[in-house]
Amino acid sequence: MGGSGTGARRAALRDGWSRGDVAGALTVWALLVPECVAYAQIAGVPPQNAFYAAPVVLLVYALLGRSRFLVVGATSAAAVLSAATVATVAGPGTGPEGAVGVSAALAVLTGAVLVGAGLARLGFVTNFLAEPALVGFLSGTALTIIVRQAAKVAGVPGGEGDFFERAWSLLRRAPDWSPAALAVGAGALVLLLALERLGPRLPASLAVLALGLVVSAGADLADHGVEVVGPVPAALPVPHLPAIPAEDWAALAGGAFGVALVVFAESFSIADRFARAHGDEVDADREMIAVGASNVAAGLVRGFAVSGSTSRSAAAEAAGSTSRLTSLVAAVLVLLTGAFLTPLFTDLPEPVLGAIVIVAVLGFLRPAELLRYRRLDRPSFWVAMTALVGVLLFDLLPGLFLAVVLSLVLFVASAGAVHVSVLGRLPGSPLYGDVEQHPGAATVPGVLVVRPDGALFFGNVDRARRAVRARVAAGGPAVHAVVLDLGASYRLGVQVLDTLDELREELAAGNVALHLARLRARAGSELDRHRLAGRLAPGTRHASVEDAVTALAPPPADGP
């Protein structure tokens, strides 16, 4: 009887799991179908190329990835980066058919970079892409996409150049804006925003796409000056190695690293966010390999670069998805759509596509986050604004490079700004704390206990040396010993030990002894191999700050 109850519970769990995943797959399909067409436009390739890649990418990630909720496919960020990179090789005037091979090759290279980095266990590198720089980069990317798609909504050519040149070109052509295209595009925008506000779980883009097709066919919009997508052939994925010259492969290599960085940063941040919310764990290296393999697969079926999607992942979770079965079922649905339903997109108005893309990237605009940086962290605000303006002025790839450089500068500046605290014994405790934070902490006359608030390395050790000397000078001639608490430094490189030796000599010149406390095991073994070990006076290495102070404290005065 107990076994029967257990079987019933398992069956109920299995049915709920399956229903939730199927519902999630239907939601993903409803979002992915219109986005395939829209993002192919952004990437500069025919719509069918997105349908070639979508089911293959979903399948590959489901087999190799470990996130239960991440949905990988075409995204606005990956598409626009692909288009920008391809334009540097194929030329900005290259048509959709001419961009297919280069876009596919870029996806293969991007995936190869990620797979290689994952095998080398370099998943941690995304931690060095500072969030303010990424916020600025994505905000600039969103504005760049919006101004390009706004030209479709207005029914005029998009122009060339950076964001400002395109925006000026759009405004200058205001007398040429098509009233019919503007009405269709603006109506689609209003309807999309209204549906997302009133029914956030509804597939608003699919509903607007379907309505656009009905209106276009019924009103014959193409005859009223509204540009339509045109014939879209059936799209079944067939393996196809990108046939481009060797020099084009080489020219794409640099851009592939930039695309790989953003693709993985976007994908892993989504996977990690859902993992934390559901008590899961995702391995950065494994995810890097899975996303990389997805990009290789996309390129080998004439697709373009892909990434994790925030909107599709969140929608699938909200619909009840609990496993990667969602991606497998969605892959089948998209495959059937590409095989049998692509002729339906023939009459799809371009202004409707432009509206779908604009609404899709609005989430990248984060003015509230920029204002928060401005209020709480001015350096981060200026990093974000520099990345944003860099994208608008110099285009996406130079803007991405600027964001990466700013992230590294921010990291180096933060790591190098070491603070050296003076410690005192906390009342009624053997522990020591910063005397500035604990005014009641007791110090020993003549003994200066200091602690760098962070690990010492080549970028900050000289600042720490100068800070210790300043503390000694402020203490006056009464200071005869300095206890340096190294508990935050789990290793000491040669440059750090050289600088500590220099500090020892400088202190010794003023008759001040250097004592080291709380040496970690690895740091201690590194010290033993360095000349400093032989130059330190006997008894100047201590297991704890308390031991050091006890050894240095003056003996109690004899009683009467």
Side-chain angles (χ1 to χ4, degrees):
M1 187 166 180
S4 175
T6 301
R9 284 194 299 272
R10 287 177 177 173
L13 179 62
R14 184 172 59 252
D15 291 343
W17 169 73
S18 299
R19 284 197 299 270
D21 287 321
V22 171
L26 288 169
T27 303
V28 169
W29 172 83
L31 292 172
L32 187 56
V33 167
E35 289 175 354
C36 276
V37 182
Y39 294 154
Q41 299 274 315
I42 296 178
V45 300
Q48 63 267 24
N49 288 80
F51 284 106
Y52 292 149
V56 177
V57 166
L58 289 166
L59 175 63
V60 170
Y61 182 79
L63 295 177
L64 297 180
R66 284 295 176 264
S67 172
R68 293 190 291 136
F69 300 96
L70 183 66
V71 178
V72 175
T75 65
S76 53
V80 76
L81 279 172
S82 176
T85 308
V86 167
T88 63
V89 175
T94 304
E97 294 295 338
V100 168
V102 184
S103 299
L106 176 64
V108 171
L109 287 174
T110 297
V113 168
L114 288 173
V115 170
L119 292 174
R121 307 193 66 80
L122 297 179
F124 66 89
V125 296
T126 55
N127 296 330
F128 295 97
L129 186 57
E131 183 68 17
L134 194 57
V135 167
F137 169 74
L138 291 177
S139 296
T141 299
L143 291 172
T144 299
I145 294 172
I146 288 171
V147 77
R148 292 178 180 179
Q149 298 303 312
K152 290 184 179 181
V153 173
V156 294
E160 299 293 339
D162 61 34
F163 168 84
F164 299 102
E165 291 170 331
R166 288 176 179 270
W168 172 243
S169 174
L170 179 63
L171 293 174
R172 187 165 47 84
R173 288 180 169 142
D176 300 326
W177 290 0
S178 166
L182 198 58
V184 171
L189 273 172
V190 171
L191 186 56
L192 280 166
L193 294 172
L195 287 175
E196 289 198 349
R197 183 176 182 83
L198 297 175
R201 293 193 178 186
L202 294 175
S205 57
L206 183 63
V208 170
L209 182 144
L211 182 60
L213 286 170
V214 171
V215 171
S216 178
D220 204 4
L221 293 180
D223 287 344
H224 291 81
V226 177
E227 190 175 352
V228 296
V229 170
V232 180
L236 284 172
V238 176
H240 186 276
L241 185 67
I244 64 172
E247 57 268 24
D248 286 353
W249 285 95
L252 287 170
F257 280 93
V259 177
L261 180 62
V262 172
V263 160
F264 181 67
E266 184 179 25
S267 302
F268 185 70
S269 65
I270 299 167
D272 189 50
R273 193 184 316 150
F274 281 109
R276 292 181 184 183
H278 292 271
D280 298 337
E281 290 288 340
V282 287
D283 178 73
D285 300 317
R286 179 61 180 259
E287 292 301 300
M288 186 172 268
I289 293 171
V291 174
S294 300
N295 273 276
V296 172
L300 292 179
V301 291
R302 291 177 292 175
F304 51 91
V306 296
S307 176
S309 167
T310 301
S311 59
R312 294 193 289 267
S313 301
E317 181 208 30
S321 172
T322 59
S323 80
R324 294 187 298 280
L325 180 64
T326 293
S327 290
L328 293 175
V329 176
V332 174
L333 295 175
V334 176
L335 184 66
L336 293 174
T337 302
F340 302 109
L341 302 181
T342 52
L344 295 177
F345 299 111
T346 299
D347 294 322
L348 180 63
E350 289 280 5
V352 171
L353 271 183
I356 290 173
V357 173
I358 288 173
V359 173
V361 301
L362 284 178
F364 287 168
L365 292 174
R366 298 168 65 183
E369 190 72 358
L370 293 173
L371 290 175
R372 188 172 74 93
Y373 289 149
R374 187 176 184 274
R375 186 176 70 254
L376 302 176
D377 188 351
R378 284 297 180 91
S380 291
F381 170 75
W382 288 116
V383 166
M385 289 304 298
T386 303
L388 190 157
V389 174
V391 171
L392 299 184
L393 281 176
F394 307 118
D395 213 348
L396 297 174
L397 288 178
L400 173 61
F401 177 75
L402 184 60
V404 171
V405 170
L406 286 172
S407 298
L408 293 176
V409 169
L410 195 65
F411 166 73
V412 172
S414 175
V418 66
H419 175 70
V420 175
S421 302
V422 175
L423 307 183
R425 185 171 184 174
L426 301 178
S429 168
L431 302 177
Y432 283 73
D434 188 343
V435 297
E436 293 180 0
Q437 296 181 356
H438 306 279
T443 58
V444 175
V447 178
L448 181 67
V449 182
V450 293
R451 178 187 64 204
D453 292 344
L456 294 179
F457 73 107
F458 67 88
N460 65 10
V461 67
D462 195 59
R463 290 188 185 185
R465 177 188 65 82
R466 285 185 271 117
V468 172
R469 287 183 55 189
R471 296 291 193 185
V472 172
V479 176
H480 64 82
V482 169
V483 177
L484 180 61
D485 181 353
L486 293 173
S489 298
Y490 286 84
R491 65 160 300 173
L492 300 171
V494 171
Q495 189 169 339
V496 172
L497 291 167
D498 287 346
T499 306
L500 292 181
D501 192 18
E502 184 180 346
L503 174 63
R504 180 199 60 78
E505 291 179 356
E506 292 170 343
L507 294 177
N511 295 317
V512 178
L514 176 64
H515 291 246
L516 304 180
R518 292 211 304 151
L519 274 167
R520 302 291 182 177
R522 183 171 180 178
S525 64
E526 291 173 336
L527 173 60
D528 290 336
R529 298 193 299 269
H530 193 271
R531 64 174 182 265
L532 176 59
R535 295 178 177 180
L536 287 169
T540 55
R541 291 169 63 169
H542 307 275
S544 67
V545 172
E546 175 69 9
D547 289 348
V549 172
T550 300
L552 289 165
D558 294 336

